Amino acid sequence: VKYKGIIDENNKLFYGTFFPLIRLSELYLIAAESESDISDGAVWLNKFRATRGVPDKTIASEAELMTALRLEYLKEFHGEGQIFYMYKRMNVNIVSAENGYNTSTYGTNAARFVVPVPASEIENR
């Protein structure tokens, strides 16, 4: 339903084929992730949460901040493919408490985050 085609006033399909390159919400999460001070990262995270009507979260450690950020990414970008890049950028294990569909924990390694080249492109080189 998230990407169901919506017809605008000119009877043109827009929302079903329009995808933003980056959203303001993603910028807030990236800012929180890239802060060197944990308290500054928590400020960005809580600004993001405030726009969603969610109460502030108290952050005590870097690991707690990164876990909170991953959970916000999972909620915000469900079905958009951004989660793959978040796990790749953070280079963390994909744990069952976060992925929700599987009871396995997937370890992180460089090969896991490399998308294979389609056979049709290999044949035509």
Side-chain angles (χ1 to χ4, degrees):
V1 175
K2 183 173 185 176
Y3 297 115
K4 182 179 179 183
I6 299 173
I7 308 247
D8 67 3
E9 62 275 354
N10 298 323
N11 291 327
K12 294 185 179 176
L13 212 62
F14 177 71
Y15 295 104
T17 57
F18 175 78
F19 295 99
L21 294 176
I22 193 163
R23 289 198 253 152
L24 183 59
S25 58
E26 189 173 4
L27 292 176
Y28 274 90
L29 293 172
I30 290 171
E33 179 185 335
S34 61
E35 283 288 352
S36 57
D37 186 20
I38 296 167
S39 61
D40 291 339
V43 168
W44 284 109
L45 175 65
N46 287 325
K47 283 182 182 179
F48 168 81
R49 291 172 60 90
T51 61
R52 301 295 183 257
V54 181
D56 286 355
K57 186 169 185 73
T58 304
I59 303 294
S61 67
E62 185 178 356
E64 193 175 328
L65 176 63
M66 291 299 132
T67 301
L69 284 171
R70 285 194 307 271
L71 293 175
E72 293 298 334
Y73 267 102
L74 289 167
K75 289 188 281 185
E76 185 72 14
F77 302 110
H78 179 75
E80 294 184 19
Q82 293 297 330
I83 306 303
F84 171 82
Y85 296 107
M86 183 245 344
Y87 279 119
K88 181 177 181 177
R89 184 178 61 255
M90 290 184 176
N91 197 26
V92 294
N93 291 339
I94 302 170
V95 296
S96 61
E98 293 176 6
N99 69 27
Y101 296 107
N102 197 330
T103 57
S104 302
T105 296
Y106 299 99
T108 181
N109 61 33
R112 180 170 307 284
F113 296 116
V114 176
V115 179
V117 177
S120 62
E121 290 187 22
I122 294 172
E123 294 169 357
N124 295 324
R125 282 188 180 188

